[in-house]
Amino acid sequence: MPVDLATLFASMIPVALLAGLVGLDVVSFPQAMLSRPIVGATLGGALAGSPEAGLVCGTALECLALESLPVGASRYPEWGSSSVVAGTVATVGTTEGGLPATGAFAVAVVVGVLFAWVGGWTMVKHRQLIARFARPRLDQLAAGSRNTVVGLQVFGMTADLARGALLGATAFLIGVPVAEAVHANWSLPENVSRAVVITCVAGVAAAAVWKDFHAISGTRRLFLAALAVGTALVVWGA
């Protein structure tokens, strides 16, 4: 991992680009679930050389993301870009088995949550920017101008790519040095550290599932079916 400013900024560039691309998937394109935390963090970890650490971090963030459902015009965390960086941060000081170091793991989860909420705010600003760009062109849009529609689409996607990349760069420049400092000074036992993080994220996930059980018809049957299929796949793979 980076140890000086030159290396830090050089390492930031590919992470920022990946964060921008994954951030596009949230709303703009292609909406193929690439922006889910478990996917984004694994990609970020793989980019940094440890997909296992990214996967562990992404699993924790996915449990937290269950609480927020991106529906319509509601404001929600932008997990895509932040998860990429969180997966990268989780690779600081990885163990021999590829698992994240306990201190870096805790920092990675915090970075993922914090910048997911910042990302949600940037998405609101992005929509406002598109509205300002489209307002003077309402007549052309009403007339069905192909060039105007295409131009608006390209502008919106380009701005969204830049938004995600800038968010990723900021999170990386903050998260990696903090993770390195925490990793160097972390004194809590490994089992205690991981237990605290896992208990917190499991509690949030359980609350989200419990809420869905009582709010959405058929959720319990689907949950039990998915649990059965997943367990069967794990047993079969073992």
Side-chain angles (χ1 to χ4, degrees):
M1 294 303 294
V3 294
D4 55 53
L5 286 179
T7 308
L8 183 66
F9 276 92
S11 302
M12 174 203 72
I13 296 173
V15 175
L17 291 176
L18 180 60
L21 290 172
V22 174
L24 272 175
D25 179 73
V26 178
V27 172
S28 298
F29 180 84
Q31 291 189 313
M33 304 297 283
L34 300 175
S35 55
R36 293 305 304 177
I38 196 170
V39 179
T42 303
L43 291 174
L47 187 63
S50 181
E52 298 88 353
L55 176 60
V56 172
C57 179
T59 302
L61 292 176
E62 190 70 44
C63 290
L64 297 175
L66 291 174
E67 181 61 27
S68 58
L69 189 62
V71 177
S74 61
R75 181 170 176 176
Y76 44 84
E78 196 269 90
W79 290 103
S81 302
S82 64
S83 295
V84 169
V85 179
T88 304
V89 172
T91 65
V92 173
T94 49
T95 63
E96 292 183 2
L99 295 177
T102 51
F105 180 37
V107 173
V109 172
V110 171
V111 167
V113 173
L114 174 62
F115 281 93
W117 281 104
V118 174
W121 175 80
T122 64
M123 289 183 68
V124 173
K125 296 303 176 182
H126 173 250
R127 290 167 181 166
Q128 293 173 349
L129 176 65
I130 294 176
R132 286 197 297 270
F133 184 80
R135 193 169 293 114
R137 299 165 177 80
L138 290 178
D139 291 340
Q140 296 96 309
L141 290 172
S145 171
R146 179 180 181 277
N147 290 339
T148 303
V149 172
V150 171
L152 184 60
Q153 286 278 63
V154 172
F155 173 80
M157 292 177 63
T158 303
D160 199 18
L161 176 66
R163 177 201 63 78
L166 182 60
L167 180 70
T170 304
F172 183 87
L173 292 176
I174 294 174
V176 170
V178 171
E180 290 179 338
V182 169
H183 172 64
N185 296 281
W186 195 263
S187 59
L188 287 177
E190 180 177 320
N191 56 344
V192 174
S193 302
R194 288 207 175 99
V196 170
V197 176
I198 291 172
T199 300
C200 290
V201 299
V204 174
V209 171
W210 180 261
K211 183 172 62 177
D212 287 344
F213 280 174
H214 292 79
I216 305 174
S217 177
T219 300
R220 299 182 188 185
R221 292 191 296 273
L222 290 173
F223 176 82
L224 292 175
L227 181 63
V229 172
T231 302
L233 289 173
V234 170
V235 173
W236 178 66

